[in-house]
Amino acid sequence: PYAALITRGNLAAWWLVFVYVLFIVTYLLRGNERYRPVIPICACLITLSVVTLFTEKNLDGKLEVTAVDVGQGLSLGALTEDSTVVIDCGSTGSAVNAGDATADYLLQSGRGTVDLLVLTHFHADHANGVRRLMSRVDVKRIAFSTDCEENEYSDGILRACTEQGTEVLYIDSN
């Protein structure tokens, strides 16, 4: 997790292509001299700084709601300048884990903490990625209805909450 550069869109991929092309071209153009990569390294660091500046998100008091592509399931991210809320985190029949997809979205948005994770119910298409999400980002609070049926997902999520110190909020429909 500490060796990752996560950016929005394809800028990081294009930067990586630039790096490879730059090093190949400077190596081929060196002639008979010994290869000195100082200039390509400096160029790569400067362009990396530009890429990270252009990908930084500034919401300026706005609300951004995103439906994360988790396959057959649901995961919504609601971001404001100060807070991060995730509604559900599950999928079925998908090669991508919903927790990984949602964590990737949050990290690309510069968020390493979820202030509130709301679960509508404990079915696979809404909850099977929660534990993976909790292993990748810090979840401060999790909320769900007291009417939700208990199953293997609810048990695993509650265990993960206890292990990680996540506050559990029970919402009563009355």
Side-chain angles (χ1 to χ4, degrees):
Y2 302 109
L5 170 68
I6 299 173
T7 63
R8 296 181 67 81
N10 294 324
L11 265 175
W14 284 110
W15 174 80
L16 196 56
V17 168
F18 167 76
V19 168
Y20 279 104
V21 168
L22 181 65
F23 274 94
I24 290 169
V25 168
T26 56
Y27 182 79
L28 293 174
L29 295 177
R30 78 188 183 323
N32 293 332
E33 297 181 23
R34 188 172 65 97
Y35 184 61
R36 295 186 182 121
V38 174
I39 293 175
I41 289 173
C42 290
C44 291
L45 292 175
I46 290 169
T47 55
L48 177 62
S49 299
V50 170
V51 166
T52 52
L53 285 175
F54 279 120
T55 59
E56 186 175 320
K57 181 180 279 201
N58 188 1
L59 293 173
D60 290 331
K62 297 176 187 155
L63 171 66
E64 175 187 284
V65 178
T66 303
V68 181
D69 184 6
V70 293
Q72 183 66 35
L74 180 66
S75 184
L76 299 172
L79 309 178
T80 65
E81 201 169 350
D82 304 351
S83 62
T84 304
V85 175
V86 173
I87 302 166
D88 287 337
C89 185
S91 68
T92 57
S94 175
V96 177
N97 183 295
D100 284 330
T102 305
D104 289 344
Y105 159 72
L106 292 172
L107 294 170
Q108 287 174 359
S109 299
R111 307 298 173 102
T113 301
V114 174
D115 297 305
L116 178 63
L117 172 60
V118 179
L119 296 177
T120 57
H121 59 283
F122 292 112
H123 292 161
D125 60 336
H126 291 260
N128 75 349
V130 171
R131 291 192 327 214
R132 182 70 179 149
L133 175 67
M134 292 177 73
S135 72
R136 295 203 41 209
V137 298
D138 180 38
V139 177
K140 291 182 180 179
R141 288 174 214 88
I142 188 167
F144 54 87
S145 173
T146 54
D147 296 338
C148 287
E149 63 187 61
E150 292 186 21
N151 58 25
E152 70 271 10
Y153 296 114
S154 64
D155 295 341
I157 291 168
L158 290 173
R159 260 194 317 277
C161 289
T162 302
E163 292 168 2
Q164 296 179 10
T166 301
E167 181 182 358
V168 178
L169 305 172
Y170 296 96
I171 300 169
D172 190 4
S173 60
N174 294 330

